[in-house]
């Protein structure tokens, strides 16, 4: 079965992950903004950044998927993938995307991303800084998790991608 890797990114991490997966899987790679026509005979691997509880571009791609296409999902987000609230938001985003298109969710690989503020636009940096400031005032509140994620942010761990590739090869 032919594989196609589609990605959506704001700062480049998801694009780099998609490139690595495409190389290893011998697949074509496309931005979600310029995907070709897809058929149900193609296995789609979608690599998307998570922002504000949404998987960037997944709803748009869902509308373009052929009926009953199977989609392997790789999400990259700042928050820990094990965090219960993160899991709920991710599940809701997937459900919403599935309501926009007729696709089957195959494997899902949530990855721990990182954040490079320098790669964000001025409005995005301003928003993150404001959220951080509010989270510092009330660390047990909803924005406290952002403080924790930003303060514990590490460079992206490429070993996570190796684990995904190993599971995709099975």
């Amino acid at each position: 079965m032919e594989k196609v890797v589609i990605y959506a990114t704001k700062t480049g991490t998801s694009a780099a992950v998609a490139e690595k997966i495409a190389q290893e899987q011998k697949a074509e790679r496309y931005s979600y903004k310029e995907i070709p026509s897809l058929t149900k005979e193609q296995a789609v691997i979608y690599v998307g950044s998570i922002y504000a509880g949404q998987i960037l571009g997944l709803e748009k791609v869902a509308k373009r998927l052929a009926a009953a296409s199977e989609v392997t999902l790789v999400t990259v987000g700042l928050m820990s993938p094990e965090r219960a609230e993160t899991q709920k938001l991710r599940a809701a985003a997937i459900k919403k995307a599935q309501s926009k298109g007729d696709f089957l969710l195959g494997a899902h690989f949530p990855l721990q991303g990182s954040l490079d503020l320098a790669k964000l636009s001025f409005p995005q940096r301003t928003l993150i800084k404001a959220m951080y400031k509010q989270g510092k005032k009330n660390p047990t509140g909803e924005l406290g998790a952002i403080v924790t994620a930003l303060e514990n942010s590490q460079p992206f761990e490429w070993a996570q991608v190796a684990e995904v590739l190993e599971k995709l090869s099975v």
Side-chain angles (χ1 to χ4, degrees), residues 86-160:
T86 302
Q87 292 174 359
K88 283 195 288 187
L89 289 170
R90 209 173 39 238
I94 292 167
K95 186 175 181 178
K96 187 174 179 185
Q98 285 179 308
S99 75
K100 305 283 185 190
D102 187 18
F103 68 92
L104 303 171
L105 181 63
H108 177 208
F109 303 100
L111 306 182
Q112 174 78 49
S114 61
L115 182 64
D116 184 350
L117 288 173
K119 291 184 178 180
L120 296 176
S121 67
F122 177 74
Q124 291 168 330
R125 284 194 309 275
T126 302
L127 178 62
I128 293 287
K129 288 177 183 178
M131 291 167 64
Y132 179 84
K133 190 174 179 179
Q134 282 300 114
K136 281 299 248 188
K137 288 180 183 176
N138 183 11
T140 59
E142 192 174 310
L143 297 177
I146 290 174
V147 172
T148 302
L150 288 170
E151 289 180 349
N152 296 325
S153 184
Q154 303 290 321
F156 184 76
E157 289 288 333
W158 284 95
Q160 300 175 99

Side-chain angles (χ1 to χ4, degrees), residues 6-10 30-36 46 56-58 60-61 64:
I6 301 169
Y7 68 93
T9 190
K10 281 199 182 268
Y30 301 95
S31 166
Y32 81 103
K33 295 177 181 176
E34 51 197 38
I35 59 174
Y46 188 82
L56 185 65
L58 185 58
K60 180 178 179 179
V61 170
R64 299 279 312 271

Side-chain angles (χ1 to χ4, degrees), residues 5-23 28-32 34 45-51 56 74-76 111 119 156 158 161:
V5 178
I6 301 169
Y7 68 93
T9 190
K10 281 199 182 268
T11 63
T13 303
S14 292
V17 169
E19 178 64 27
K20 180 68 173 170
I21 291 172
Q23 286 174 352
E28 292 293 322
R29 178 182 72 113
Y30 301 95
S31 166
Y32 81 103
E34 51 197 38
I45 302 170
Y46 188 82
V47 182
S49 304
I50 299 177
Y51 289 93
L56 185 65
V74 180
T75 54
V76 182
L111 306 182
K119 291 184 178 180
F156 184 76
W158 284 95
V161 179

